[in-house]
Amino acid sequence: MKIKIKIITTCFLCLGMTLFFTSLGFGANRLLLKNARIYTFDRGVLDGYDLLIRNGKIDTIAKNIQPPPNVPFIDLTGKSVIPGIIDSHNHIALYGDMNEGTENVTPEVKMEYLVDADEPSIYYILSGGVTMIHTMHGSANPIGGENVTIKMKWGKNPDELIETRALRTLKMALGENPIQKTPSFPNTRMGVSSVIEKAYLDAIAYRKLQDKWNKASKQEKEKMIPPAKNYRLEALLDTLDQKMVIRCHSYRADETLELIRLSKKFGFKVAAFEHLHQAYRIADQLSANHIGISIFADSWNYKAEASEFTPWGLKLLYQKGVEISLNSDTSEAMRRLYTEAGKLRRYAGMSDLDALKTITLNPAKLLGMEKYTGSIEIGKDADLAVFDGHPLSSMSKCVLTIIEGEIYFDRSKDPYVGVK
Amino acid sequence: MKKKLKTQFQSREEKQNTEDSMKQTKLMRYFYLSVILSVVLFSGFYTFASPPERFIIKNVSVFKPDGTWQEDSFVIVKGCKIEQIGRMNTLEQTDIFDHEYDLKGKFLYPAFIDAFYKGFQVEEKEASTPGPARFDSQISRFEERQASEKDDVRAPFEKRNYFIKRKAVERLLLTEAKMKEVIEQGFAILHIAPPDGIYGGTATVISMISENPTEAVLVPETFMTLYLKPNQPDYPSTFNAIIAELQQLKEDSTYYQKMKRFDFSLLDKRLQYIPEYDILYPYFTKEKRFIISISNYPEQRLIEQLTRLVGIDPILVGHPEIWRRPLAPNTTIILPLNFKPNDNSYYAQFEEKLKKEAEEKIYPQKLAEFLKSHPHIAITSPDGINHKDLFKNLQLLGKNGAPESLLIAALTINPAKILDIARYTGSCEAGKLANITVSDKKITEPDARVSMTVVEGKVFEFKPPADKDKKDEKDKKPGMRKKPGGLQ
Amino acid sequence: MKHTFILIISLLLLACLTFSTPNSPNEKENGIAIKAGKIFTVSGNTIENGTILVSGEKILEVGLSDSISIPQDYTVYEYPGSTVYPGIINAMTNLGISGISAIDTTNDYREAGQFNPHISAYTAFYPWSNLIPNARDFGVLTAVTAPSGGLISGKALVANLLGWVPEDMFIKNELALVMNIPEPPSNPRWARFQSSNPADQKEKLEHFISCAYSYYLNSINNPSFPTPNDFDIKYEAMKPTWKDRLPVIISAENEESIKYAIQLGKKFKLNVILKGAYDGEKVLKEIKESGCPVILSSMYGSNSKWEDGVDKIFRLPAALAREGIPFAFTTAGAAGAFDLPLHAGRAVAYGLSQDEAIKGLTLYPAKILGIDQYGSIEKGKIANLVITDGNILENSTLVQHIFIKGIEVTDKSFFQKEFNRAEQKISGEYR
């Protein structure tokens, strides 16, 4: 009896101790950031606040948080903390060619198989405060492949980078790039539109066959030809079933309107148009259809279709409520995405926080990740970037990048950086 | 008239004489014939009935199947098999041999087996033009497509480097000079894999016994090769498209099998013959295996995804960074022993000094550890053609902690098991094929040199470079069983 | 007597009338005065609540508003909350000789061949390029337009970004010779894509320059030189390099190339301006000794080797400033030429002071390019002025007014016109 009591008490004690220590936050990814200027979207800019991270998530934002024992803390006096920057259009961290342009419709290829976590550009963009990217198929064909969202966890293996919580997205491309396959079809924008139309008609016919087969009885099946599985058309059907959204590369307003017409005709959802230099001409239509844009702030004139553009057009888009996300398309521009966002203050008359949203919350929404990241709110992933000055100014630089509570870039500890 | 009569009415005597003389010549003929025949038969009998050549290698250290050495031993070879292995002190002094080789101080191994060799085949021009000529070939392909009035026509399999129908066994080209090179490095059996294309074709196993392919082939068809070399300008031109297409090929070939047995009355027209589907189908039912060549970490991950999606169990031909990603211990791996970081490897992306460190320290260390955790790996040459660097790297592995027994197993019994020839070769045991390599030092030591290779009983001796003029094959005694058309 | 008196007075009156003929409408008799909340003179102190007096093209005076009296007939511009900067100088672009990057027929900055000293940007300058007013919109009022490519690309020009025909715009139509040192690609993995051997190319370059030098020496020593046989248009074009000390802008990125460029300058007595100098940090002493200034590459770049560190190119301006080596900021190309102030801003994040950054946009390029009448707000300099609502190094700052050579530029740029059209949904011809 005594032995039994002893055993039971020891068990309870052990359980109690475990619970106690766990409550203290013994686990991975704990960090306390002290005395920073924190940019939140729901509570505004909080000066001199502390931020506690637990289990990789934002736990508390308050003044003078008592540091729990054994939690490392960093003094960020004079520094600003913003949500980790999200770049929703680029082609880095992919092994080999990301452009399957040999056929017009290739939605069966997936970028998630090509993720290359060793690429140095991941580290370079961490030094610019970028924590998550949407890396994409190229724009060589009208319907490209499936893209992938990855977090910039430098040093981890590729499977740990892939964000499974993000929306599945399919790349489409309009304009000059898909028509460069002269003399093969398509050679014109008309052809591009018909390629997309035909692809969806094929997919719908395939579904009809499958439905017919599935609904048939056993005897009927004996007299039918079973449909062959086609991965390409299955991927297209996923977009019709709202399991995957479209991210479409386009520059001109007319081809964009044409794709909006096709999307309504067949029922697939376009989440955003990429680049879309002429977005300012169709601000009404974009906002009426709840389609966002993922653009450069003012990089232009490198192609004929990019030669009609004005950065002041962002004002029109902002006024009409179109959700603007900024992207870079290259690792070099990704490092200064925060300065590009800062320019929106003069182009569109945005406030600091709204300009910040274009590189944080808005791209997160496009990827379906706004519940998990994109802003500094309690319960969200601790994806943060720390700047040594105003986070939108060219004259600041990123000094610390944190993803899910782990520090992946620390300027003071980088062995090759000249200015710490 | 008169003359005719005369001959007709020749005297009987004369006739009798001629008859007699004719009888005599006939007899003589029969006699000579019988003598010749008996001699021939006798010698023939002697030839056919003569026992196979028997020779002994004495005073050597023998590498046993359990991975240990047996010193001061002898090996008796009879014909093409190993007859007996034993200690010198158990040797019967009265035993007679056709040859005796006293190789005191030398080390005897099973002859090496190269599990992935890309030579000895007819060279074929590439089906599609690679590299900078992209636009030219692209235009002609696209003109083809335009002419067909369809928006997207996929080229036939061969044009897209899918050499599924190809078989290495039908394209063998064995040259004496190259075979000598291979045998000089101690290799007796090679797994010949088609070197190019995305799907290169089916590989084959050959022995270095003969230049004649029909005699050399041990296993005519083994595995189908798959290289991650995307096409330009045809589909697939990216790595992930190769995966997607293999998935689709699995569906298509399975469907094809189904349709072959389908009720024709329901079809519009008869099924077109697509040999590739027939050939590939057993690969998807796991009856046959792919052998997939990967050259870096991202490709390794790609193949992992492929095996999961398509449900196959391939043999991996690896790369020096194979240890960076966890692999199940029972994965079949062939490792080209190469320590140079290629452009896409992790260690080539950062500082220059890291690249050097990788080649000299990191790869040998990590691969030695990897070998210990995956003891069934087969090791092969760095580039698939030349074996010289292989031994240098092997010695480096040994220095970094890889046990000798594992290294030798990786060159002998492990490849034998992978190629399914372990029941008759791959180790020095009585009853197995006499494939033997003797070197003057242990091959894991620097400057080790192969001094003798025996391929199925045929001996090749190699003198050190100073005595090169004396180096030649041993003469064969008359009356020995000869293999027609073999190496002389 | 009286008659003589009346005659003299009438003569005097007549003289007065003659000399007080009304001015032609084209002559600007009246000057302008600009009053602003802050004036960055750059060469002197920053003035709070100051006034600038401009007459004709030149600045007459600049000082505290309290201490400057504005003449009666001057037009006064009052910008109480604004800041005035000298017009920004973009030290290397291809504005005017480039159009749309992907369309070759719109681009004139890269001629065929390796040695083209006889090719001059001013012969192909397009003043109506819509990229020029765009650059003005953000304060870039003066720019160098340079050809590129090959070993000797051609001759660059420097122009004000306002004018109807090219001559109206040029400050110097042959500013400098542009030269490029051949070097292996920074990333050794790309070495196999390089078509020719850098060592061979260097030899060819040196040989060319030495031939040109002896041609020049011949031409000054020998009165009958060049005969029709000896005449070589390329060597003729090289003569100003020695005759007029025409600067040579030499692009050199790695350590070896920079040292080679300096050595080349010494050997052939060239007036060298270094361009790029990616590895400049490693050879600061050599650059300082040589006296060569540095025209920086665009600050929108990346490091090429892992060991260089992520902030390699951003550290360079501060390092040069510490050593007292003059430097100038540039953008790459033409479509991004307007973004220049933010390039300077980026360098501020990595150790450059804001004052030095503004100097790198104004005073230093003027000094380096030999256009000393520009680059600061002081008496006697040309009145190129930018009026902003804040710090020009900030990306939230708007440029409100610009003055080029004393005239306010009110022409709308393509960017602005396109916005108005879209706002009012006006379709039709847009260019």
Side-chain angles (χ1 to χ4, degrees):
Chain A
M1 203 42 202
K2 275 192 183 170
I3 301 169
K4 260 195 187 170
I5 298 171
K6 275 193 187 160
I7 296 171
I8 295 170
T9 6
T10 344
C11 286
F12 270 111
L13 269 170
C14 289
L15 197 65
M17 299 259 287
T18 329
L19 283 170
F20 174 64
F21 282 117
T22 342
S23 72
L24 285 180
F26 272 101
N29 309 341
R30 295 149 36 246
L31 193 60
L32 176 62
L33 306 174
K34 286 197 82 63
N35 200 25
R37 167 177 276 196
I38 303 179
Y39 284 72
T40 72
F41 299 131
D42 51 350
R43 293 160 68 181
V45 181
L46 305 170
D47 243 319
Y49 269 64
D50 294 354
L51 196 151
L52 177 65
I53 300 169
R54 244 193 213 160
N55 294 326
K57 302 227 187 282
I58 298 172
D59 188 85
T60 327
I61 309 170
K63 275 202 188 258
N64 298 316
I65 299 177
Q66 277 300 327
N70 296 328
V71 174
F73 73 84
I74 306 176
D75 182 9
L76 295 181
T77 313
K79 302 207 170 36
S80 316
V81 177
I82 60 167
I85 296 173
I86 301 172
D87 182 292
S88 62
H89 182 117
N90 53 70
H91 307 284
I92 67 159
L94 292 174
Y95 172 64
D97 194 4
M98 43 64 192
N99 221 343
E100 185 55 62
T102 54
E103 293 187 356
N104 289 328
V105 179
T106 57
E108 71 277 7
V109 303
K110 298 193 193 201
M111 297 303 113
E112 71 172 280
Y113 303 145
L114 298 181
V115 174
D116 179 6
D118 298 334
E119 204 177 276
S121 36
I122 295 178
Y123 186 75
Y124 294 155
I125 63 173
L126 276 170
S127 75
V130 179
T131 53
M132 189 164 87
I133 63 173
H134 179 230
T135 179
M136 305 179 79
H137 185 271
S139 50
N141 46 5
I143 301 184
E146 196 176 319
N147 314 304
V148 68
T149 305
I150 51 177
K151 283 208 177 171
M152 301 282 91
K153 296 180 189 169
W154 178 244
K156 299 232 150 93
N157 80 56
D159 310 300
E160 292 171 284
L161 263 65
I162 296 177
E163 253 306 330
T164 47
R165 298 173 293 185
L167 275 178
R168 286 176 64 197
T169 61
L170 183 66
K171 178 75 182 277
M172 277 195 190
L174 309 172
E176 283 179 25
N177 290 4
I179 64 179
Q180 269 173 26
K181 285 167 32 184
T182 318
S184 174
F185 191 95
N187 249 359
T188 65
R189 289 176 170 82
M190 303 186 290
V192 169
S193 169
S194 87
V195 162
I196 299 175
E197 190 162 10
K198 178 168 182 292
Y200 276 101
L201 289 173
D202 284 343
I204 292 171
Y206 170 73
R207 165 154 283 172
K208 275 211 182 94
L209 269 176
Q210 281 190 323
D211 284 346
K212 201 166 143 202
W213 173 263
N214 291 332
K215 292 194 187 123
S217 65
K218 227 180 177 173
Q219 293 106 317
E220 286 177 326
K221 279 195 180 153
E222 278 167 30
K223 299 206 196 85
M224 285 167 68
I225 307 171
K229 180 163 180 174
N230 186 324
Y231 285 98
R232 182 170 285 186
L233 298 175
E234 295 272 341
L236 283 175
L237 286 175
D238 278 350
T239 61
L240 293 180
D241 296 338
Q242 309 309 318
K243 289 188 198 155
M244 196 152 65
V245 295
I246 306 292
R247 293 285 293 260
C248 183
H249 155 122
S250 72
Y251 281 82
R252 283 200 348 201
D254 59 324
E255 63 203 17
T256 310
L257 291 173
E258 169 59 16
L259 190 74
I260 296 178
R261 180 188 76 84
L262 284 174
S263 76
K264 287 199 193 140
K265 174 173 177 180
F266 292 107
F268 57 84
K269 166 108 184 86
V270 181
F273 284 100
E274 315 287 316
H275 313 311
L276 197 50
H277 277 59
Q278 296 183 9
Y280 61 95
R281 292 181 173 167
I282 48 168
D284 293 329
Q285 287 88 335
L286 288 170
S287 85
N289 288 294
H290 307 290
I291 300 176
I293 52 174
S294 181
I295 55 171
F296 304 130
D298 55 18
S299 166
W300 73 301
N301 212 45
Y302 42 89
K303 284 199 283 193
E305 54 188 0
S307 62
E308 290 171 49
F309 170 76
T310 170
W312 308 110
L314 289 165
K315 194 187 289 184
L316 289 171
L317 291 158
Y318 180 52
Q319 283 166 359
K320 304 273 167 130
V322 176
E323 211 150 75
I324 302 171
S325 297
L326 283 185
N327 66 44
S328 67
D329 216 4
T330 57
S331 61
E332 184 279 312
M334 238 192 284
R335 296 200 291 165
R336 53 182 167 89
L337 211 52
Y338 59 95
T339 60
E340 299 294 303
K343 287 181 188 174
L344 296 184
R345 295 180 290 175
R346 73 177 174 205
Y347 290 144
M350 285 188 188
S351 64
D352 281 1
L353 287 175
D354 276 349
L356 198 56
K357 277 189 192 161
T358 62
I359 52 174
T360 52
L361 191 58
N362 293 353
K365 283 192 197 162
L366 284 180
L367 298 170
M369 291 278 292
E370 70 272 25
K371 278 203 284 263
Y372 311 106
T373 186
S375 63
I376 302 182
E377 282 178 60
I378 294 174
K380 287 201 176 177
D381 287 353
D383 295 339
L384 306 164
V386 181
F387 285 78
D388 64 353
H390 192 287
L392 295 172
S393 164
S394 309
M395 298 191 271
S396 304
K397 56 186 184 292
C398 174
V399 291
L400 206 62
T401 310
I402 299 168
I403 303 177
E404 291 173 19
E406 271 184 62
I407 299 176
Y408 286 92
F409 173 72
D410 187 343
R411 195 171 283 268
S412 61
K413 298 209 176 98
D414 181 313
Y416 296 113
V417 145
V419 180
K420 305 270 182 209
Chain B
M1 263 292 272
K2 250 190 180 178
K3 275 184 188 167
K4 224 182 177 179
L5 280 163
K6 209 178 184 178
T7 41
Q8 233 177 350
F9 297 116
Q10 246 179 340
S11 65
R12 263 179 167 234
E13 278 173 47
E14 280 180 51
K15 255 194 184 167
Q16 192 70 25
N17 279 344
T18 38
E19 272 185 40
D20 282 336
S21 58
M22 272 173 74
K23 265 195 186 158
Q24 247 188 348
T25 35
K26 264 194 185 164
L27 266 166
M28 289 309 290
R29 274 195 209 132
Y30 286 138
F31 176 66
Y32 290 133
L33 208 61
S34 58
V35 166
I36 292 166
L37 254 168
S38 55
V39 167
V40 164
L41 276 170
F42 177 70
S43 53
F45 182 71
Y46 183 90
T47 319
F48 290 126
S50 68
E53 183 177 84
R54 232 170 130 244
F55 66 85
I56 183 171
I57 302 172
K58 294 199 291 193
N59 295 313
V60 277
S61 302
V62 174
F63 185 83
K64 290 202 298 190
D66 61 4
T68 59
W69 286 98
Q70 187 177 292
E71 271 111 38
D72 299 315
S73 304
F74 66 86
V75 175
I76 300 174
V77 170
K78 182 170 170 186
C80 68
K81 291 195 185 181
I82 298 176
E83 184 186 276
Q84 192 189 0
I85 303 178
R87 290 200 182 269
M88 284 303 294
N89 48 23
T90 65
L91 181 63
E92 280 193 35
Q93 294 301 325
T94 52
D95 211 339
I96 307 168
F97 303 99
D98 298 309
H99 294 281
E100 288 192 9
Y101 300 95
D102 187 347
L103 301 179
K104 195 165 183 64
K106 298 211 173 119
F107 298 88
L108 191 140
Y109 299 90
F112 305 132
I113 301 174
D114 190 335
F116 198 72
Y117 194 77
K118 295 198 217 168
F120 286 137
Q121 292 161 84
V122 174
E123 283 202 4
E124 201 167 280
K125 284 182 227 146
E126 297 232 3
S128 62
T129 352
R134 179 181 183 158
F135 272 129
D136 291 343
S137 47
Q138 200 172 29
I139 285 175
S140 64
R141 276 290 301 127
F142 292 138
E143 273 166 352
E144 265 175 59
R145 288 188 195 174
Q146 193 178 42
S148 72
E149 288 290 321
K150 287 192 182 173
D151 355 335
D152 252 343
V153 177
R154 193 171 283 187
F157 283 116
E158 268 104 49
K159 267 202 160 174
R160 296 188 292 123
N161 292 337
Y162 277 33
F163 304 123
I164 297 172
K165 293 192 287 189
R166 204 159 65 168
K167 293 185 199 175
V169 72
E170 291 167 0
R171 300 170 68 246
L172 285 173
L173 182 67
L174 300 159
T175 53
E176 192 182 329
K178 191 70 191 172
M179 283 175 76
K180 248 202 171 83
E181 253 183 69
V182 169
I183 298 170
E184 202 171 352
Q185 297 290 329
F187 284 85
I189 293 177
L190 304 175
H191 183 210
I192 304 293
D196 54 5
I198 297 182
Y199 294 87
T202 319
T204 183
V205 183
I206 62 169
S207 155
M208 293 284 96
I209 187 68
S210 164
E211 248 179 83
N212 182 351
T214 28
E215 286 188 28
V217 170
L218 282 178
V219 183
E221 285 178 40
T222 51
F223 317 107
M224 168 92 64
T225 57
L226 169 55
Y227 296 99
L228 290 172
K229 274 199 226 149
N231 282 322
Q232 295 274 12
D234 268 307
Y235 187 91
S237 70
T238 57
F239 297 107
N240 47 4
I242 295 178
I243 295 183
E245 200 184 5
L246 188 56
Q247 266 188 295
Q248 189 64 52
L249 271 175
K250 178 180 176 182
E251 287 300 323
D252 291 343
S253 59
T254 318
Y255 190 73
Y256 182 77
Q257 302 306 314
K258 213 188 322 183
M259 295 311 284
K260 273 204 287 196
R261 290 178 276 279
F262 205 70
D263 183 355
F264 179 68
S265 63
L266 292 168
L267 300 170
D268 295 334
K269 52 179 179 177
R270 67 172 177 82
L271 202 61
Q272 199 180 18
Y273 172 55
I274 304 176
E276 282 85 358
Y277 289 164
D278 270 337
I279 298 171
L280 280 177
Y281 183 65
Y283 287 87
F284 300 122
T285 58
K286 294 206 178 162
E287 197 186 308
K288 292 195 183 171
R289 298 171 83 183
F290 283 104
I291 180 167
I292 307 183
S293 176
I294 49 183
S295 46
N296 51 50
Y297 184 100
E299 286 185 17
Q300 195 172 330
R301 182 168 171 268
L302 265 165
I303 298 305
E304 216 177 280
Q305 313 281 331
L306 181 69
T307 50
R308 182 178 51 88
L309 289 167
V310 182
I312 53 176
D313 176 28
I315 298 169
L316 299 180
V317 179
H319 59 101
E321 289 190 358
I322 197 169
W323 43 270
R324 285 186 65 216
R325 197 163 172 83
L327 281 165
N330 59 357
T331 319
T332 315
I333 302 168
I334 298 172
L335 183 64
L337 204 59
N338 171 28
F339 295 144
K340 267 201 172 50
N342 75 24
D343 283 344
N344 280 307
S345 56
Y346 179 79
Y347 292 96
Q349 310 265 11
F350 307 106
E351 301 94 324
E352 274 299 300
K353 60 178 185 193
L354 194 64
K355 220 169 148 179
K356 233 181 149 215
E357 213 189 305
E359 191 174 353
E360 291 163 10
K361 248 189 359 189
I362 303 178
Y363 286 163
Q365 268 174 16
K366 293 287 187 176
L367 284 172
E369 277 173 39
F370 185 72
L371 202 66
K372 283 192 255 180
S373 60
H374 293 77
H376 302 293
I377 290 180
I379 288 179
T380 179
S381 62
D383 59 359
I385 307 278
N386 299 304
H387 293 119
K388 294 212 174 77
D389 284 337
L390 169 58
F391 292 107
K392 206 170 35 148
N393 291 343
L394 203 75
Q395 285 143 19
L396 204 53
L397 268 188
K399 264 197 237 157
N400 279 281
E404 194 204 8
S405 55
L406 261 180
L407 292 173
I408 306 303
L411 283 173
T412 54
I413 191 66
N414 289 351
K417 285 191 190 152
I418 294 174
L419 302 172
D420 198 27
I421 51 175
R423 59 188 184 286
Y424 55 77
T425 185
S427 57
C428 290
E429 289 178 79
K432 284 201 170 178
L433 272 182
N435 282 356
I436 290 167
T437 297
V438 181
S439 71
D440 56 357
K441 286 194 246 182
K442 288 194 182 173
I443 57 153
T444 46
E445 283 177 37
D447 300 322
R449 232 187 33 85
V450 170
S451 56
M452 178 162 97
T453 308
V454 182
V455 181
E456 294 183 37
K458 186 170 284 183
V459 177
F460 300 89
E461 273 189 287
F462 306 108
K463 298 283 189 290
D467 308 2
K468 226 177 190 166
D469 353 63
K470 292 191 203 160
K471 178 189 102 177
D472 224 350
E473 294 167 26
K474 279 278 186 185
D475 288 336
K476 305 228 185 323
K477 273 198 179 158
M480 271 174 41
R481 186 165 76 94
K482 280 185 192 168
K483 283 198 173 153
L487 270 179
Q488 291 300 327
Chain C
M1 237 8 234
K2 201 192 204 166
H3 296 288
T4 7
F5 185 63
I6 295 168
L7 192 63
I8 291 168
I9 291 178
S10 25
L11 276 170
L12 278 168
L13 277 168
L14 205 66
C16 285
L17 276 168
T18 331
F19 289 113
S20 62
T21 40
N23 292 318
S24 54
N26 287 333
E27 267 180 53
K28 222 172 6 89
E29 182 71 25
N30 308 331
I32 58 169
I34 299 168
K35 292 174 79 168
K38 221 185 206 182
I39 301 177
F40 274 86
T41 61
V42 182
S43 50
N45 292 329
T46 306
I47 302 170
E48 302 274 339
N49 295 321
T51 302
I52 307 169
L53 293 179
V54 175
S55 176
E57 289 182 355
K58 301 221 174 139
I59 299 173
L60 269 188
E61 237 190 294
V62 61
L64 288 163
S65 293
D66 300 333
S67 51
I68 293 185
S69 56
I70 304 171
Q72 281 286 341
D73 46 0
Y74 271 35
T75 324
V76 181
Y77 297 90
E78 293 214 38
Y79 307 126
S82 304
T83 313
V84 186
Y85 292 88
I88 292 174
I89 304 171
N90 194 329
M92 195 91 146
T93 70
N94 46 35
L95 274 171
I97 57 173
S98 72
I100 295 173
S101 320
I103 303 179
D104 285 336
T105 46
T106 62
N107 292 315
D108 289 316
Y109 53 80
R110 179 40 173 129
E111 187 48 83
Q114 297 292 314
F115 298 103
N116 289 318
H118 57 310
I119 299 290
S120 264
Y122 82 89
T123 59
F125 191 82
Y126 187 67
W128 303 279
S129 163
N130 61 9
L131 303 175
I132 291 175
N134 284 347
R136 285 198 310 246
D137 266 2
F138 295 88
V140 178
L141 304 184
T142 313
V144 169
T145 294
S148 49
L151 293 171
I152 297 183
S153 318
K155 297 216 178 96
L157 64 87
V158 64
N160 279 316
L161 297 184
L162 178 73
W164 182 248
V165 287
E167 292 82 67
D168 294 346
M169 299 170 72
F170 297 150
I171 301 172
K172 278 193 188 174
N173 56 1
E174 286 200 339
L175 168 76
L177 188 70
V178 180
M179 197 182 286
N180 307 295
I181 305 290
E183 41 192 84
S186 39
N187 191 332
R189 282 197 275 165
W190 302 332
R192 55 201 152 108
F193 295 124
Q194 197 171 30
S195 46
S196 45
N197 183 1
D200 282 343
Q201 300 270 58
K202 272 192 194 163
E203 249 183 73
K204 287 196 188 132
L205 179 63
E206 238 180 288
H207 178 77
F208 184 88
I209 302 175
S210 79
C211 289
Y213 188 49
S214 36
Y215 187 94
Y216 162 70
L217 289 173
N218 269 338
S219 66
I220 51 171
N221 294 329
N222 195 342
S224 62
F225 186 90
T227 61
N229 259 349
D230 299 317
F231 183 84
D232 184 315
I233 190 171
K234 294 191 184 182
Y235 296 147
E236 282 287 329
M238 290 288 288
K239 274 171 37 183
T241 317
W242 296 283
K243 195 162 107 190
D244 308 320
R245 293 288 291 158
L246 192 75
V248 183
I249 300 176
I250 307 186
S251 273
E253 301 289 353
N254 62 33
E255 208 181 318
E256 205 191 301
S257 305
I258 299 173
K259 287 198 242 187
Y260 180 73
I262 296 173
Q263 177 224 346
L264 212 65
K266 281 205 193 109
K267 182 170 175 186
F268 293 109
K269 303 185 178 45
L270 304 171
N271 180 1
V272 173
I273 302 174
L274 291 168
K275 162 91 176 52
Y278 175 84
D279 266 338
E281 263 184 317
K282 298 186 188 162
V283 284
L284 282 173
K285 277 211 199 74
E286 284 89 330
I287 300 178
K288 177 101 204 237
E289 269 168 25
S290 70
C292 302
V294 175
I295 295 181
L296 297 162
S297 289
S298 158
M299 286 284 117
Y300 290 175
S302 192
N303 52 316
S304 48
K305 282 201 291 237
W306 183 257
E307 308 87 292
D308 289 339
V310 293
D311 59 352
K312 169 80 173 175
I313 55 173
F314 317 128
R315 304 196 289 258
L316 184 61
L320 294 171
R322 275 196 295 274
E323 294 288 325
I325 301 169
F327 57 90
F329 289 103
T330 66
T331 58
F338 63 83
D339 223 9
L340 189 65
L342 302 185
H343 289 250
R346 199 164 194 200
V348 169
Y350 295 87
L352 189 68
S353 71
Q354 290 200 29
D355 276 338
E356 286 288 316
I358 294 176
K359 284 194 183 145
L361 292 170
T362 51
L363 190 64
Y364 292 158
K367 224 170 36 175
I368 295 171
L369 303 169
I371 48 172
D372 292 300
Q373 339 82 291
Y374 294 85
S376 59
I377 306 181
E378 46 176 321
K379 179 170 179 176
K381 293 221 172 174
I382 303 270
N384 274 14
L385 306 164
V386 179
I387 292 101
T388 68
D389 68 351
N391 186 347
I392 202 165
L393 300 172
E394 280 286 8
N395 53 30
S396 52
T397 304
L398 281 166
V399 168
Q400 297 164 318
H401 305 274
I402 53 177
F403 288 80
I404 296 185
K405 289 211 240 173
I407 304 171
E408 190 188 0
V409 183
T410 48
D411 270 352
K412 282 197 187 282
S413 69
F414 175 71
F415 277 171
Q416 292 167 326
K417 282 192 239 182
E418 193 53 25
F419 171 73
N420 292 332
R421 252 193 299 270
E423 204 182 15
Q424 297 158 53
K425 297 210 170 88
I426 300 170
S427 55
E429 188 54 51
Y430 62 92
R431 285 195 186 275

